[in-house]
């Protein structure tokens, strides 16, 4: 068998030729050897041929500045401004960009990126690592009993007021056909480093990001469906016009009939953001600001009031709704995010503490990564953009 090549231009050409069906037998043999040479090569190859990932990245690259991007690939120099430095986040996990623009150049950068930085950062982070978050949550029953869902087997796990609760493929489901009268509430909580998907008794689907929760009745009785949430939650509400769906947070109330939307209420964020994808939702702040009704493609931004000022509620257009729910689809989307916003995401997903040493220079990122990536791989990419990081145990120091 031919030996595998490490020349990124050659590999890029092979990948392009394979997807276009133009490889010779010798070229295919060399590509096969490269794929078999390492788990990382094999993973990249699988992702490049994953239709879902291809579609996601085609959409992302459709918004990319091709000319400026090509110049950055070739010069590998950051673009600086007086306010902050703009850098493009290049990563193996975003390698599917090779499918739509500058196949050889972008793949070349991704391949050389790994080689050039392996020695620089590999030794620093090799001795320790933190795996990515995973599916899992804690279910608190009406009597206070707590069940760790990611440690339970499949099938029925509890009964609450006649409603049967079961686990199916690590997803929580409720069967309220035999529900009795009376109200019993359950709460699902995701610690840092966990996310979870639950189907509520009315058929509403809920995705919980890390460090989030939802409280709900085990059967929806009466004229409305009312739940309470914290953290970040994406919902696809079952349409029942006769029974409005009400969501409460510490700062506002949302009223919906049937819709899909994302709510970010994290305490460490400066605002509460609600992004509507389909349907309609009415937002009523608890403190002073007037209610607003969202239409698809809009985001409501609610400021958090303090002693000196009232809350404000503004509505903006959402250019890229997919970015808002990237976490639900297994991605980090850092496009346009500053250093501190990125660090807050890493803190929740990897269950680490972030400590800032001095005043690190702010950085604006562009790009995306899979959330199933070990922390060390994420840090290697961030450090290529002159972000000085040091991981000690469970604490990440940002300098």
């Amino acid at each position: 068998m031919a030996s595998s090549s490490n020349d990124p231009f050659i590999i890029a050409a092979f990948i392009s030729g394979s997807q276009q069906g133009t490889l010779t037998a010798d070229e295919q043999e060399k590509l096969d050897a490269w794929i078999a040479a390492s788990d990382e090569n094999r993973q990249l190859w699988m992702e490049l041929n994953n239709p879902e990932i291809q579609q996601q990245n085609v959409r992302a690259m459709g918004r990319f500045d091709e000319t400026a991007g090509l110049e950055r690939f070739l010069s590998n120099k950051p673009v600086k401004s007086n306010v902050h430095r703009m850098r493009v986040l290049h990563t193996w996990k975003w390698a599917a960009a090779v499918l739509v623009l500058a196949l050889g150049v972008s793949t070349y950068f991704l391949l050389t990126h790994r080689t050039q930085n392996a020695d620089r950062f590999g030794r620093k982070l090799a001795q320790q690592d933190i795996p990515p978050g995973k599916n899992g949550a804690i279910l608190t029953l009406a009597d206070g009993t707590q069940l760790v869902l990611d440690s339970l087997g499949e099938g029925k796990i509890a009964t609450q007021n006649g409603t049967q609760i079961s686990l199916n493929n690590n997803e929580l489901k409720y069967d309220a056909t035999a529900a009795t009268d009376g109200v019993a509430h359950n709460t699902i909580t995701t610690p840092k480093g966990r996310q979870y998907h639950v189907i509520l008794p009315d058929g509403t689907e809920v995705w919980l990001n890390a460090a989030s929760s939802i409280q709900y009745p085990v059967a929806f009785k009466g004229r409305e469906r009312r739940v309470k949430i914290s953290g970040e939650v994406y919902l696809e509400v079952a349409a029942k016009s006769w029974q409005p769906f009400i969501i409460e947070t510490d700062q506002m109330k949302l009223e919906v009939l049937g819709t899909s939307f994302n709510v970010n209420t994290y305490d460490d964020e400066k605002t509460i953001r609600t992004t509507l994808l389909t349907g309609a939702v009415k937002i009523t702040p608890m403190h002073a600001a007037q209610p607003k009704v969202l239409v698809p493609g809009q985001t409501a931004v609610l400021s958090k009031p303090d002693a000196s000022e009232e809350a404000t509620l503004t509505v903006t257009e959402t250019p890229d709704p997919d970015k808002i729910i990237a976490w639900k689809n297994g991605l980090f989307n850092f496009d346009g995010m500053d250093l501190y916003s990125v660090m807050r995401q890493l803190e929740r997903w990897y269950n680490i503490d972030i400590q800032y040493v001095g005043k690190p220079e702010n950085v604006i990122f562009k790009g995306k990564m899979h959330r199933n990536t070990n922390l060390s791989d994420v840090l290697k990419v961030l450090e290529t953009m002159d972000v000085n990081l040091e991981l000690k145990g469970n604490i990440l120091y940002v300098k």
Side-chain angles (χ1 to χ4, degrees), residues 126-398:
Q127 300 304 315
Q128 54 183 324
D129 203 356
I130 295 177
K134 60 182 182 181
N135 285 330
I138 298 171
L139 173 64
T140 302
L141 303 178
D143 62 0
T145 300
Q146 291 191 328
L147 304 175
V148 181
L149 297 178
D150 37 320
S151 67
L152 299 178
E154 297 279 290
K156 177 181 172 182
I157 61 172
T159 300
Q160 300 270 272
N161 284 20
T163 297
Q164 291 191 4
I165 310 172
S166 61
L167 277 173
N168 184 13
N169 293 326
N170 201 32
E171 293 181 351
L172 198 62
K173 295 186 178 181
Y174 285 77
D175 182 355
T177 52
T180 61
D181 291 334
V183 178
H185 285 86
N186 283 184
T187 302
I188 293 181
T189 305
T190 51
K192 288 183 178 180
R194 295 291 186 272
Q195 64 181 20
Y196 207 69
H197 177 221
V198 57
I199 301 176
L200 300 185
D202 66 333
T204 292
E205 294 194 64
V206 179
W207 287 260
L208 298 169
N209 204 346
S212 303
S213 71
I214 182 169
Q215 182 188 79
Y216 51 92
V218 298
F220 289 103
K221 305 285 187 179
R223 297 180 178 179
E224 65 182 23
R225 297 167 286 167
R226 186 176 293 265
V227 302
K228 295 181 179 179
I229 67 170
S230 67
E232 185 168 22
V233 182
Y234 175 80
L235 300 97
E236 294 182 355
V237 177
K240 294 186 177 183
S241 59
W242 66 93
Q243 195 180 36
F245 196 93
I246 311 296
I247 297 174
E248 294 181 350
T249 76
D250 289 341
Q251 301 290 335
M252 65 183 183
K253 179 177 71 173
L254 297 91
E255 302 176 52
V256 302
L257 296 176
T259 186
S260 58
F261 58 100
N262 191 82
V263 185
N264 185 330
T265 72
Y266 284 122
D267 290 338
D268 58 359
E269 299 290 349
K270 295 180 180 179
T271 59
I272 296 173
R273 305 179 71 89
T274 304
T275 300
L276 182 66
L277 282 79
T278 63
V281 60
K282 179 182 178 180
I283 301 173
T284 304
M286 299 297 186
H287 306 284
Q290 294 297 313
K292 300 283 187 181
V293 177
L294 295 185
V295 299
Q298 291 184 332
T299 294
V301 181
L302 177 64
S303 66
K304 296 180 180 178
D306 57 30
S308 62
E309 59 183 21
E310 295 182 342
T312 60
L313 179 62
T314 58
V315 175
T316 63
E317 298 301 316
T318 310
D320 184 9
D322 287 343
K323 173 186 173 182
I324 306 299
I325 61 171
W327 66 269
K328 169 188 169 285
N329 298 323
L331 297 172
F332 290 119
N333 190 327
F334 296 145
D335 194 13
M337 287 189 177
D338 63 23
L339 174 66
Y340 300 95
S341 298
V342 169
M343 288 300 136
R344 287 195 294 271
Q345 288 201 28
L346 299 185
E347 187 173 34
R348 297 175 196 131
W349 186 234
Y350 292 97
N351 191 17
I352 58 176
D353 292 325
I354 304 293
Q355 297 289 332
Y356 296 96
V357 180
K359 294 183 178 180
E361 184 176 359
N362 206 355
V363 177
I364 303 299
F365 296 100
K366 185 177 179 68
K368 61 179 70 174
M369 298 181 68
H370 283 274
R371 278 162 54 108
N372 63 354
T373 303
N374 282 354
L375 179 60
S376 64
D377 293 329
V378 178
L379 300 187
K380 290 173 188 176
V381 174
L382 298 182
E383 287 205 283
T384 64
M385 290 163 280
D386 297 333
V387 179
N388 193 356
L389 304 167
E390 184 175 5
L391 181 63
K392 291 185 177 180
N394 203 50
I395 301 175
L396 179 62
Y397 293 93
V398 185

